[in-house]
Amino acid sequence: MNLYVYILLGFCGLELGETLGVYDATGRLNLSASCPDSFCSLSDRRVAYSASPALRLRELHLTNCSRQSITWLVLNLTPGLRTLVIRNCASYHISKESLRPVGNLTSLQMQRTSLGVLRDEVFTTVPRLEILELGQNIIHTVHIGAFKGLARLRLLGLQGNGIQEILSRTFDPLTELVHLDLSHNLLAHLPKDIFAKNGKIQTLLLNGNQLRTLLPDILSSLPNLHLLDLGHAGQLEILTLDIHNIQRLILEGSGLTSLVINGGLIKLQAGNNELSNLHVGNKSGVIELDLHGNLLSGNDTAGLLRGMWNLQRLDLSKNVIESLPLYGGYLEDPNAQELFLLPSLKYLNLANNRLISLPPDSPIFSARLNYLDLSHNKLLNLDVEILRGLPVLEALFIEGNRLNTFDYQVFHQQHEDLKELGLHDNAWAPGLYRKMFVYLNDRGVHLQARSQNRPGINSSQVDIDWPPTGSQPEAQKLDPPGVSGIHPYWTLKDILAFVTLLVVLLILLMNLYHILQEEGCLRRIRHWRRSHIVGGGNTLSRSSGRRLDEQDSEHSSSE
């Protein structure tokens, strides 16, 4: 029965969850009868409201409403309202008089409306407000006193607007603010003391703006900051941050060439910049570094990584690293006594660099490493003894280099926990890739497939693309003359399959023998052969005797 009700509502064009209106005799919407519970959702209704208030209503959602539906007048009938959500409505402005009837409001959300200006003291009539979400509007101006009276506010969202400037002291009344979202606006700079009174902020989102500069001490008044997002925030180039021990710092794609962090952090995401200089003050708490797509060299990384004993994930792909750091080498400070060790490192990505060889002993190869990506470098050889010190390695990628040989059997014996291996796009000797594929695949190692639309380099197609993805005739065409498509050696699986086939064949022959014997076929065959042989002998003797008698008679007559 309920299914038919939902289908009927769908045909009538009503949104599920929307309240069905109850009207009085004059055609006015009776809000008390329409919203008898604590939650109510209303859409566009160009009608007046009756005078009966909805005393039990605590949460009201107004969606798809226009100016003619008198959005704000409905608040006069909801004195106990705590949460007000307005979406897709033509609310061009908001005033403190409009909000006065709902003085106990704790959450106000206005999204995708035509709100353009936040005027002074606009929220003073709702002093208990804790959540103010004004994202995805067209706000371009925020007056300096717009948030006056919001001493309890904990979350403020202004993302996705057109705000070009925020004046100093604008956020001063928000002493309890924890989450501030200013992302995807048009901010070019921020005043020095803009967060001076907001010491409880834990999340600050500034990504997607047009910042040209950011003063170093602008964040020094935020001791509780956990997340700072400055990704795609303009062209900052040279950036110095005075921060405390935050958990996550995002600087993705912000045009940085130099980054100095006076303080500590746990996770740093600074990929797709132009960093050639990076300094972190307190390195002891760093667990994750994502620095892909920069201009860091081997010398830069050695000085940066020194002292990061708790580092677990390191992504240095798409940089200009030509050599890996060594023990005691590339010291920024010759007097530094700190030993270069990375005992906690589990994930290391060095893909798309300029490595020609691997040193036999480098501190960057931690004994706990289980993921190592060396793909798309310039490696000419890879000695498996260098990787012997990685006993828990589970994934290795060396595709896209210039390797000709690889002792895959010894390597697998050293790393029995290996689960994934990338070998393609190398200059392997003829037939070697196929041997490696068969050997490793039979031992449960997954060989990474070749990336689509990537041409091979200096190697035959049969070695690169084995096993072929096309049909069997196409696979045979890939084999060069003199090379068979059969396994190059007998594996245990091959031997077991062959023995199984022999046993099955023997059983079938025995069954056939018994069937022929039960049907008497064997007896008839033996009788036929015996009679054929004996009868044939008698006939032969009689014919030969006849010929002898004829010869004798002819001889006597002639005499």
Side-chain angles (χ1 to χ4, degrees):
M1 181 63 184
N2 293 334
L3 179 61
Y4 292 108
V5 172
Y6 285 123
I7 295 175
L8 179 61
L9 292 176
F11 279 117
C12 293
L14 297 176
E15 181 181 351
L16 294 180
E18 180 187 334
T19 302
L20 296 176
V22 178
Y23 300 87
D24 58 17
T26 62
R28 296 172 179 268
L29 179 67
N30 189 325
L31 190 64
S32 177
S34 300
C35 303
D37 300 321
S38 60
F39 175 85
C40 184
S41 177
L42 299 174
S43 63
D44 191 3
R45 286 186 172 84
R46 297 189 177 97
V47 296
Y49 295 89
S50 64
S52 58
L55 300 178
R56 299 179 58 185
L57 189 60
R58 296 294 180 267
E59 183 173 347
L60 175 61
H61 289 234
L62 300 174
T63 59
N64 302 319
C65 46
S66 61
R67 298 184 67 182
Q68 289 78 12
S69 57
I70 46 178
T71 304
W72 299 114
L73 293 182
V74 72
L75 300 183
N76 295 322
L77 305 176
T78 57
L81 200 63
R82 297 293 186 271
T83 299
L84 175 60
V85 179
I86 303 175
R87 292 192 179 97
N88 299 324
C89 290
S91 302
Y92 290 97
H93 69 281
I94 183 173
S95 66
K96 59 183 179 181
E97 296 301 326
S98 302
L99 298 174
R100 190 179 298 278
V102 289
N104 294 323
L105 202 65
T106 59
S107 176
L108 173 60
Q109 302 179 46
M110 295 181 62
Q111 296 173 324
R112 296 185 295 276
T113 72
S114 300
L115 188 62
V117 179
L118 296 182
R119 303 188 183 278
D120 289 335
E121 303 182 0
V122 65
F123 301 108
T124 54
T125 54
V126 283
R128 298 185 180 183
L129 209 60
E130 296 182 5
I131 297 176
L132 180 58
E133 177 59 71
L134 301 175
Q136 310 303 325
N137 289 290
I138 57 172
I139 300 174
H140 54 82
T141 302
V142 179
H143 291 187
I144 192 172
F147 305 111
K148 186 177 180 180
L150 297 180
R152 297 186 181 184
L153 196 69
R154 295 171 53 83
L155 182 148
L156 175 60
L158 296 171
Q159 72 277 9
N161 285 283
I163 303 173
Q164 299 182 8
E165 182 182 14
I166 293 182
L167 302 176
S168 180
R169 306 180 64 85
T170 300
F171 298 132
D172 282 5
L174 310 178
T175 55
E176 297 295 322
L177 194 62
V178 174
H179 178 96
L180 177 58
D181 191 348
L182 295 170
S183 61
H184 299 286
N185 279 282
L186 303 176
L187 295 172
H189 70 278
L190 293 173
K192 177 181 179 180
D193 56 349
I194 187 173
F195 305 123
K197 304 293 184 180
N198 310 118
K200 294 185 178 182
I201 287 183
Q202 298 179 8
T203 304
L204 178 58
L205 307 179
L206 296 169
N207 52 297
N209 279 279
Q210 300 178 1
L211 296 174
R212 299 186 182 93
T213 58
L214 193 66
L215 299 176
D217 55 348
I218 195 172
L219 304 174
S220 59
S221 60
L222 304 178
N224 298 304
L225 189 62
H226 293 164
L227 170 61
L228 173 61
D229 192 346
L230 287 167
H232 303 280
Q235 296 294 323
L236 296 174
E237 295 188 3
I238 300 175
L239 181 62
T240 301
L241 295 176
D242 294 338
I243 58 177
H244 301 268
N245 292 321
I246 68 174
Q247 294 181 1
R248 187 178 179 186
L249 174 60
I250 303 175
L251 294 165
E252 188 85 16
S254 293
L256 293 172
T257 60
S258 175
L259 174 62
V260 176
I261 300 175
N262 296 324
L265 49 83
I266 295 178
K267 296 182 180 181
L268 172 62
Q269 295 177 229
N272 295 321
N273 287 286
E274 298 178 4
L275 285 173
S276 59
N277 177 41
L278 176 57
H279 172 78
V280 178
N282 184 6
K283 303 178 181 181
S284 61
V286 181
I287 293 180
E288 181 176 337
L289 286 179
D290 184 356
L291 301 171
H292 74 277
N294 283 282
L295 300 176
L296 296 171
S297 64
N299 296 3
D300 302 327
T301 56
L304 170 66
L305 299 176
R306 191 178 184 85
M308 292 188 178
W309 292 353
N310 294 313
L311 185 65
Q312 297 182 11
R313 293 178 60 88
L314 176 60
D315 189 346
L316 292 171
S317 59
K318 298 182 180 180
N319 278 274
V320 292
I321 300 174
E322 297 181 350
S323 60
L324 297 180
L326 302 173
Y327 287 104
Y330 306 124
L331 297 183
E332 289 184 344
D333 183 5
N335 299 321
Q337 300 298 321
E338 213 169 308
L339 186 63
F340 191 171
L341 286 175
L342 298 176
S344 303
L345 192 63
K346 298 180 180 180
Y347 176 100
L348 176 59
N349 191 344
L350 293 168
N352 295 96
N353 278 282
R354 302 177 181 179
L355 294 172
I356 298 177
S357 62
L358 301 181
D361 190 13
S362 175
I364 203 170
F365 290 145
S366 166
R368 298 185 63 187
L369 206 64
N370 53 39
Y371 182 100
L372 177 59
D373 193 342
L374 298 169
S375 61
H376 302 286
N377 279 276
K378 301 179 180 180
L379 295 175
L380 299 176
N381 58 76
L382 181 59
D383 189 355
V384 295
E385 292 299 321
I386 297 176
L387 304 177
R388 181 185 289 273
L390 310 178
V392 295
L393 192 65
E394 296 181 358
L396 174 66
F397 303 97
I398 54 176
E399 68 272 14
N401 283 280
R402 302 175 181 178
L403 300 174
N404 181 262
T405 61
F406 181 59
D407 197 344
Y408 56 95
Q409 297 181 351
V410 174
F411 175 74
H412 182 264
Q413 294 171 2
Q414 296 174 354
H415 305 88
E416 295 183 353
D417 295 332
L418 192 69
K419 298 178 181 178
E420 191 168 4
L421 183 62
L423 295 171
H424 55 81
D425 288 347
N426 277 285
W428 300 118
L432 177 59
Y433 185 85
R434 190 189 315 176
K435 292 180 181 180
M436 292 189 293
F437 180 89
V438 173
Y439 181 89
L440 295 169
N441 187 65
D442 289 344
R443 286 155 180 79
V445 180
H446 172 68
L447 267 71
Q448 186 189 47
R450 181 185 179 192
S451 301
Q452 297 295 327
N453 301 322
R454 182 188 298 171
I457 54 171
N458 300 328
S459 184
S460 63
Q461 191 176 2
V462 66
D463 292 326
I464 294 296
D465 287 339
W466 190 268
T469 58
S471 60
Q472 184 62 26
E474 294 177 355
Q476 294 175 355
K477 293 179 181 178
L478 294 178
D479 286 333
V483 178
S484 173
I486 307 175
H487 284 1
Y489 57 89
W490 284 79
T491 63
L492 179 61
K493 185 185 298 184
D494 298 331
I495 296 174
L496 292 176
F498 182 71
V499 172
T500 303
L501 289 175
L502 288 179
V503 172
V504 172
L505 180 60
L506 181 60
I507 293 174
L508 292 176
L509 291 176
M510 293 176 63
N511 289 336
L512 179 62
Y513 175 80
H514 288 301
I515 292 173
L516 293 176
Q517 190 174 20
E518 291 175 356
E519 296 293 332
C521 296
L522 295 179
R523 185 173 60 257
R524 287 195 295 270
I525 292 174
R526 286 195 295 269
H527 179 71
W528 177 81
R529 290 186 61 190
R530 189 184 305 114
S531 61
H532 181 72
I533 294 174
V534 174
N538 294 335
T539 304
L540 181 61
S541 59
R542 287 196 297 268
S543 61
S544 59
R546 186 181 301 110
R547 286 197 297 272
L548 289 174
D549 294 337
E550 292 176 355
Q551 292 176 359
D552 291 338
S553 60
E554 291 176 357
H555 180 71
S556 58
S557 61
S558 62
E559 290 179 349

